[in-house]
Amino acid sequence: SAVQIAKRQDLNITLIHVISHESLIQSGYESMPVATIVFDSIKKEVKDRMRSLVEDILERYGFGVNMLMHTGAIAVEVTRAASQMEAEMIVMGTHGASGLKEFFLGTNAYDVIKKSTCPVLTIPPNQKWNGFSKILFPVRDVANDLDKYQYLRKIIQKNKAKLIVL
């Protein structure tokens, strides 16, 4: 979905993968003497998979993709990278972890949405979008709520989409 959106909107893509400290802790590697070896192995595997994805995108769609790999809290690292590169949008999947909030969205996606300084488009599992023909824009009676229309405007125009205001 991110590739299709980037093509249609004439945008660049930066692929980011965050190796979370939580995943290492849950695996039991944080206190083992081999933690550095295991961590280096994980980083190499992630880089190899990212390079493969970047090559696939270049081959299939004809444009290159930048890649970043960070270690830390997922939402913090994603929003920090987006802010530093002055990203215009974050596109990320939702998986859902546990609990009611996570059932609908996922903890990391929710945290990115809360912390981000740019729009965040979340893609549910097993879904793909190549463009947008109808966009729902819920508004509330709060200050500056309609300012968000400016973010939608480019997408609406490029896709010749119908805007539904709720």
Side-chain angles (χ1 to χ4, degrees):
S1 295
V3 170
Q4 292 296 331
I5 292 166
K7 279 182 65 174
R8 181 170 231 128
Q9 301 300 129
D10 299 320
L11 300 171
N12 296 319
I13 291 182
T14 298
L15 179 66
I16 182 169
H17 182 91
V18 179
I19 300 172
S20 74
H21 291 299
E22 291 173 2
S23 64
L24 295 173
I25 292 168
Q26 289 169 357
S27 302
Y29 292 123
E30 85 289 352
S31 61
M32 297 175 65
V34 294
T36 302
I37 295 167
V38 171
F39 183 64
D40 288 345
S41 173
I42 290 170
K43 285 192 330 188
K44 182 185 179 323
E45 181 180 334
V46 167
K47 275 187 185 176
D48 290 345
R49 291 173 69 192
M50 288 176 73
R51 279 191 193 111
S52 177
L53 180 57
V54 167
E55 289 169 10
D56 184 54
I57 292 169
L58 179 59
E59 186 177 304
R60 291 174 64 189
Y61 301 100
F63 68 91
V65 175
N66 298 315
M67 3 182 282
L68 295 173
M69 186 170 59
H70 291 256
T71 304
I74 293 170
V76 170
E77 296 302 323
V78 168
T79 55
R80 180 182 298 144
S83 179
Q84 287 173 346
M85 69 177 57
E86 298 178 349
E88 295 179 72
M89 177 184 283
I90 297 171
V91 178
M92 67 184 295
T94 61
H95 299 293
S98 62
L100 187 58
K101 174 178 68 175
E102 292 83 358
F103 174 76
F104 292 105
L105 188 61
T107 305
N108 293 317
Y110 180 76
D111 287 346
V112 168
I113 290 168
K114 284 190 334 185
K115 293 177 171 120
S116 179
T117 58
C118 67
V120 179
L121 176 63
T122 58
I123 308 292
N126 305 313
Q127 300 294 321
K128 293 182 182 178
W129 278 271
N130 294 332
F132 305 95
S133 59
K134 294 180 189 172
I135 299 173
L136 178 65
F137 182 40
V139 293
R140 299 179 299 148
D141 188 18
V142 295
N144 304 323
D145 205 32
L146 292 175
D147 293 349
K148 289 153 182 78
Y149 169 75
Q150 295 307 317
Y151 292 108
L152 286 175
R153 195 166 169 216
K154 288 185 202 176
I155 295 170
I156 293 166
Q157 289 173 334
K158 285 271 186 172
N159 291 274
K160 296 181 174 69
K162 179 179 180 181
L163 179 65
I164 301 163
V165 179
L166 174 66

